Amino acid sequence: MFGTLYIVATPIGNLEDITPRALRILKEVDLIAAEDTRHTRKLLTHFDIHTPLTSFFQANERMKVDAILGQLRDGKNIALVSDAGTPCISDPGYPLLRAAVEAEIKVVPIPGPSAVATAISAAGLPTDRFTFVGFLPDKPGKRIHALEELRDISHTLLFYVSPWKVEKILADCLSVFGDRDACLARELTKMHEEFRRGKLSELVESLKMKMTKGEMVLVIDGKK
Ligand code: SAM
Protein backbone atom coordinates (compact mmCIF):
# COMPACT_ATOMS: atom_id res chain seq x y z
CA MET A 1 0.00 0.00 0.00
CA PHE A 2 1.32 3.42 -0.96
CA GLY A 3 1.28 6.18 1.62
CA THR A 4 -0.65 9.43 1.27
CA LEU A 5 0.71 12.86 0.43
CA TYR A 6 -1.07 15.55 2.45
CA ILE A 7 -0.86 19.16 1.22
CA VAL A 8 -1.28 21.03 4.49
CA ALA A 9 -2.07 24.75 4.73
CA THR A 10 -0.57 26.60 7.70
CA PRO A 11 -1.25 30.11 9.07
CA ILE A 12 -0.17 33.24 7.17
CA GLY A 13 0.37 35.09 10.44
CA ASN A 14 -2.14 34.27 13.11
CA LEU A 15 -1.48 30.85 14.63
CA GLU A 16 -5.16 30.54 15.62
CA ASP A 17 -5.87 29.98 11.93
CA ILE A 18 -4.43 26.47 11.91
CA THR A 19 -7.22 23.92 11.66
CA PRO A 20 -7.72 20.99 14.06
CA ARG A 21 -7.46 18.68 11.07
CA ALA A 22 -4.11 20.17 10.02
CA LEU A 23 -2.78 19.65 13.56
CA ARG A 24 -3.96 16.05 13.61
CA ILE A 25 -2.40 15.27 10.23
CA LEU A 26 0.89 16.95 11.18
CA LYS A 27 0.95 14.77 14.32
CA GLU A 28 0.02 11.54 12.56
CA VAL A 29 2.19 11.54 9.43
CA ASP A 30 5.58 9.81 9.32
CA LEU A 31 7.39 12.83 7.89
CA ILE A 32 6.80 16.53 7.20
CA ALA A 33 8.48 17.99 4.10
CA ALA A 34 8.91 21.69 4.90
CA GLU A 35 10.06 24.70 2.90
CA ASP A 36 12.17 25.84 5.87
CA THR A 37 12.56 23.29 8.63
CA ARG A 38 13.58 25.95 11.21
CA HIS A 39 10.43 27.95 10.47
CA THR A 40 8.14 24.90 10.61
CA ARG A 41 9.85 23.60 13.75
CA LYS A 42 8.71 26.77 15.56
CA LEU A 43 5.11 26.07 14.48
CA LEU A 44 5.37 22.43 15.55
CA THR A 45 6.93 23.31 18.89
CA HIS A 46 4.11 25.77 19.55
CA PHE A 47 1.60 22.96 19.06
CA ASP A 48 3.72 20.30 20.80
CA ILE A 49 4.16 18.22 17.63
CA HIS A 50 7.30 16.09 17.30
CA THR A 51 7.02 14.62 13.78
CA PRO A 52 10.36 14.36 11.90
CA LEU A 53 11.05 17.10 9.34
CA THR A 54 12.89 17.16 6.04
CA SER A 55 13.68 20.21 3.95
CA PHE A 56 11.85 20.79 0.69
CA PHE A 57 12.58 24.17 -0.84
CA GLN A 58 12.63 25.58 -4.37
CA ALA A 59 16.35 24.94 -4.98
CA ASN A 60 16.35 21.29 -3.87
CA GLU A 61 12.82 20.28 -4.78
CA ARG A 62 13.60 18.43 -8.03
CA MET A 63 16.28 16.45 -6.24
CA LYS A 64 13.98 15.70 -3.31
CA VAL A 65 11.00 14.55 -5.35
CA ASP A 66 12.43 11.08 -5.99
CA ALA A 67 13.39 10.56 -2.35
CA ILE A 68 9.95 11.59 -1.07
CA LEU A 69 8.20 9.61 -3.77
CA GLY A 70 10.25 6.56 -2.72
CA GLN A 71 9.05 6.95 0.86
CA LEU A 72 5.42 7.33 -0.26
CA ARG A 73 5.82 4.15 -2.32
CA ASP A 74 7.15 2.43 0.81
CA GLY A 75 3.88 3.24 2.55
CA LYS A 76 4.94 6.32 4.50
CA ASN A 77 2.43 9.16 4.94
CA ILE A 78 3.99 12.54 4.25
CA ALA A 79 2.75 16.11 4.82
CA LEU A 80 3.98 18.94 2.65
CA VAL A 81 3.99 22.40 4.27
CA SER A 82 5.40 25.75 3.23
CA ASP A 83 6.46 28.65 5.46
CA ALA A 84 2.98 30.14 5.38
CA GLY A 85 -0.32 29.50 3.66
CA THR A 86 -1.08 26.79 1.14
CA PRO A 87 1.85 24.84 -0.35
CA CYS A 88 2.22 24.95 -4.16
CA ILE A 89 0.56 28.43 -4.35
CA SER A 90 3.58 30.60 -5.23
CA ASP A 91 5.49 28.19 -3.03
CA PRO A 92 7.46 24.94 -3.51
CA GLY A 93 5.55 21.72 -4.07
CA TYR A 94 4.22 21.50 -7.60
CA PRO A 95 6.83 19.01 -8.95
CA LEU A 96 6.15 16.69 -5.99
CA LEU A 97 2.39 17.04 -6.38
CA ARG A 98 2.61 16.26 -10.11
CA ALA A 99 4.92 13.29 -9.56
CA ALA A 100 2.59 11.89 -6.89
CA VAL A 101 -0.45 12.25 -9.16
CA GLU A 102 1.43 10.53 -12.01
CA ALA A 103 2.50 7.71 -9.67
CA GLU A 104 -1.15 7.30 -8.61
CA ILE A 105 -0.31 8.13 -5.02
CA LYS A 106 -3.25 9.48 -3.04
CA VAL A 107 -3.05 13.25 -2.57
CA VAL A 108 -5.19 14.79 0.18
CA PRO A 109 -5.46 18.58 0.58
CA ILE A 110 -5.85 19.91 4.11
CA PRO A 111 -7.31 23.34 3.35
CA GLY A 112 -6.62 26.44 5.36
CA PRO A 113 -5.21 29.94 4.96
CA SER A 114 -3.92 31.37 1.73
CA ALA A 115 -3.09 35.05 1.27
CA VAL A 116 -4.92 35.20 -2.07
CA ALA A 117 -8.26 33.99 -0.66
CA THR A 118 -7.85 36.08 2.49
CA ALA A 119 -7.18 39.25 0.46
CA ILE A 120 -10.04 38.86 -2.05
CA SER A 121 -12.48 38.03 0.75
CA ALA A 122 -12.15 41.52 2.26
CA ALA A 123 -10.58 43.84 -0.34
CA GLY A 124 -13.96 45.22 -1.43
CA LEU A 125 -13.45 44.59 -5.17
CA PRO A 126 -15.58 42.17 -7.22
CA THR A 127 -15.22 38.61 -5.97
CA ASP A 128 -17.31 36.72 -8.53
CA ARG A 129 -14.40 36.22 -10.93
CA PHE A 130 -10.72 36.92 -10.37
CA THR A 131 -7.32 36.12 -11.80
CA PHE A 132 -4.51 35.24 -9.41
CA VAL A 133 -1.26 36.31 -11.04
CA GLY A 134 1.15 35.53 -8.19
CA PHE A 135 4.51 37.33 -8.33
CA LEU A 136 5.29 39.56 -11.31
CA PRO A 137 8.70 39.28 -13.00
CA ASP A 138 11.50 41.30 -11.37
CA LYS A 139 12.88 42.74 -14.59
CA PRO A 140 11.04 45.99 -15.46
CA GLY A 141 10.62 45.14 -19.19
CA LYS A 142 9.22 41.69 -18.48
CA ARG A 143 6.98 43.08 -15.74
CA ILE A 144 5.46 45.69 -18.04
CA HIS A 145 4.94 43.00 -20.67
CA ALA A 146 3.21 40.74 -18.13
CA LEU A 147 0.93 43.60 -17.08
CA GLU A 148 0.11 44.46 -20.70
CA GLU A 149 -1.10 40.89 -21.18
CA LEU A 150 -3.55 41.41 -18.30
CA ARG A 151 -4.77 44.88 -19.35
CA ASP A 152 -7.99 43.76 -21.06
CA ILE A 153 -9.16 41.33 -18.40
CA SER A 154 -12.47 42.58 -17.02
CA HIS A 155 -12.37 40.82 -13.66
CA THR A 156 -10.34 41.44 -10.49
CA LEU A 157 -6.57 40.83 -10.56
CA LEU A 158 -4.50 39.69 -7.58
CA PHE A 159 -0.73 39.92 -7.22
CA TYR A 160 1.71 38.83 -4.54
CA VAL A 161 4.03 41.77 -3.90
CA SER A 162 7.22 42.06 -1.90
CA PRO A 163 7.55 45.27 0.15
CA TRP A 164 10.75 46.43 -1.47
CA LYS A 165 9.17 46.33 -4.95
CA VAL A 166 5.69 47.62 -4.13
CA GLU A 167 6.30 51.22 -5.22
CA LYS A 168 7.67 50.20 -8.63
CA ILE A 169 4.88 47.65 -9.14
CA LEU A 170 2.15 50.16 -8.27
CA ALA A 171 3.70 52.72 -10.63
CA ASP A 172 3.85 50.14 -13.44
CA CYS A 173 0.23 49.08 -12.78
CA LEU A 174 -0.89 52.71 -12.93
CA SER A 175 0.91 53.30 -16.21
CA VAL A 176 -0.39 50.11 -17.87
CA PHE A 177 -3.95 49.85 -16.43
CA GLY A 178 -4.76 53.52 -15.84
CA ASP A 179 -6.25 54.78 -12.58
CA ARG A 180 -8.32 51.80 -11.41
CA ASP A 181 -9.73 51.01 -7.97
CA ALA A 182 -7.32 48.91 -5.94
CA CYS A 183 -6.55 47.61 -2.49
CA LEU A 184 -3.23 46.86 -0.87
CA ALA A 185 -3.96 44.10 1.65
CA ARG A 186 -1.07 44.08 4.10
CA GLU A 187 0.01 41.92 7.04
CA LEU A 188 -3.15 39.85 6.81
CA THR A 189 -4.25 38.13 10.02
CA LYS A 190 -1.40 39.86 11.92
CA MET A 191 -1.43 42.67 14.48
CA HIS A 192 -0.88 45.41 11.88
CA GLU A 193 -3.34 44.09 9.30
CA GLU A 194 -4.34 46.86 6.91
CA PHE A 195 -6.53 47.23 3.84
CA ARG A 196 -5.40 50.36 2.02
CA ARG A 197 -8.12 51.08 -0.54
CA GLY A 198 -8.27 53.74 -3.24
CA LYS A 199 -7.36 54.55 -6.81
CA LEU A 200 -3.96 53.28 -7.95
CA SER A 201 -2.73 56.91 -8.04
CA GLU A 202 -3.84 57.36 -4.41
CA LEU A 203 -1.98 54.23 -3.35
CA VAL A 204 1.15 55.48 -5.15
CA GLU A 205 0.86 58.80 -3.27
CA SER A 206 0.12 57.12 0.07
CA LEU A 207 3.29 55.03 -0.21
CA LYS A 208 5.29 58.23 -0.69
CA MET A 209 3.75 59.63 2.52
CA LYS A 210 4.02 56.50 4.65
CA MET A 211 6.66 53.83 4.28
CA THR A 212 5.03 50.46 3.94
CA LYS A 213 6.59 47.22 5.07
CA GLY A 214 5.34 43.70 5.59
CA GLU A 215 3.72 41.11 3.36
CA MET A 216 1.24 42.34 0.81
CA VAL A 217 -1.33 41.30 -1.74
CA LEU A 218 -2.27 43.86 -4.37
CA VAL A 219 -5.86 43.62 -5.59
CA ILE A 220 -6.84 45.61 -8.69
CA ASP A 221 -10.21 46.06 -10.35
CA GLY A 222 -10.60 44.63 -13.85
CA LYS A 223 -11.03 46.68 -17.04
CA LYS A 224 -14.35 48.53 -17.09
N1 SAM B 1 1.60 29.89 -0.34
C1 SAM B 1 1.31 31.17 0.24
C2 SAM B 1 -0.21 31.37 0.27
O1 SAM B 1 -0.95 30.39 0.13
O2 SAM B 1 -0.66 32.48 0.45
C3 SAM B 1 2.01 32.31 -0.47
C4 SAM B 1 3.51 32.21 -0.41
S1 SAM B 1 4.34 33.45 -1.28
C5 SAM B 1 6.00 32.88 -1.23
C6 SAM B 1 4.43 34.76 -0.12
C7 SAM B 1 3.61 35.97 -0.54
O3 SAM B 1 2.25 35.78 -0.14
C8 SAM B 1 4.05 37.26 0.13
O4 SAM B 1 5.10 37.89 -0.59
C9 SAM B 1 2.78 38.07 0.07
O5 SAM B 1 2.58 38.65 -1.20
C10 SAM B 1 1.71 36.99 0.30
N2 SAM B 1 1.44 36.86 1.73
C11 SAM B 1 1.77 35.85 2.56
N3 SAM B 1 1.34 36.09 3.80
C12 SAM B 1 0.73 37.28 3.79
C13 SAM B 1 0.09 38.09 4.77
N4 SAM B 1 0.00 37.71 6.04
N5 SAM B 1 -0.45 39.28 4.37
C14 SAM B 1 -0.38 39.68 3.09
N6 SAM B 1 0.23 38.96 2.13
C15 SAM B 1 0.77 37.78 2.47
Side-chain angles (χ1 to χ4, degrees), residues 17-221:
D17 292 334
I18 194 134
T19 67
R21 188 173 175 220
L23 290 176
R24 180 176 60 76
I25 295 295
L26 291 176
K27 267 190 199 133
E28 287 177 1
V29 289
D30 299 293
L31 181 69
I32 300 172
E35 181 179 8
D36 180 339
T37 51
R38 287 164 307 175
H39 187 99
T40 299
R41 200 177 303 282
K42 283 186 203 152
L43 180 82
L44 298 184
T45 302
H46 182 87
F47 290 107
D48 198 22
I49 295 173
H50 304 281
T51 308
L53 283 164
T54 187
S55 70
F56 188 83
F57 49 90
Q58 219 103 38
N60 81 352
E61 69 179 329
R62 299 235 164 235
M63 207 176 71
K64 280 275 183 147
V65 166
D66 286 344
I68 293 176
L69 219 53
Q71 298 201 52
L72 287 161
R73 283 202 177 99
D74 288 345
K76 301 268 187 270
N77 294 319
I78 298 184
L80 175 69
V81 299
S82 59
D83 285 354
T86 302
C88 307
I89 299 189
S90 297
D91 259 342
Y94 177 69
L96 176 61
L97 169 63
R98 188 67 223 157
V101 168
E102 278 169 13
E104 297 188 10
I105 285 165
K106 189 172 176 193
V107 178
V108 176
I110 308 297
S114 184
V116 56
T118 311
I120 187 82
S121 72
L125 291 163
T127 54
D128 52 342
R129 288 180 74 206
F130 61 87
T131 290
F132 170 57
V133 183
F135 290 105
L136 285 161
D138 280 343
K139 295 216 168 103
K142 284 192 175 166
R143 185 161 65 230
I144 294 280
H145 182 68
L147 291 172
E148 282 170 350
E149 286 186 336
L150 302 166
R151 184 165 35 202
D152 292 329
I153 292 178
S154 60
H155 50 261
T156 306
L157 303 169
L158 285 103
F159 304 88
Y160 281 167
V161 173
S162 59
W164 46 94
K165 291 181 203 135
V166 63
E167 289 177 45
K168 283 186 183 145
I169 288 174
L170 275 173
D172 286 350
C173 287
L174 179 59
S175 81
V176 174
F177 297 145
D179 208 6
R180 295 188 190 175
D181 288 329
C183 172
L184 202 53
R186 203 172 68 81
E187 295 287 87
L188 295 167
T189 77
K190 301 183 193 175
M191 192 189 298
H192 298 292
E193 179 177 85
E194 178 193 28
F195 290 89
R196 208 177 287 189
R197 301 179 177 93
K199 294 281 178 198
L200 278 171
S201 60
E202 291 167 343
L203 294 185
V204 168
E205 282 309 307
S206 87
L207 286 191
K208 286 184 192 154
M209 313 277 286
K210 189 174 165 208
M211 216 177 71
T212 304
K213 290 187 287 188
E215 298 195 279
M216 301 172 207
V217 182
L218 175 61
V219 190
I220 303 182
D221 204 1

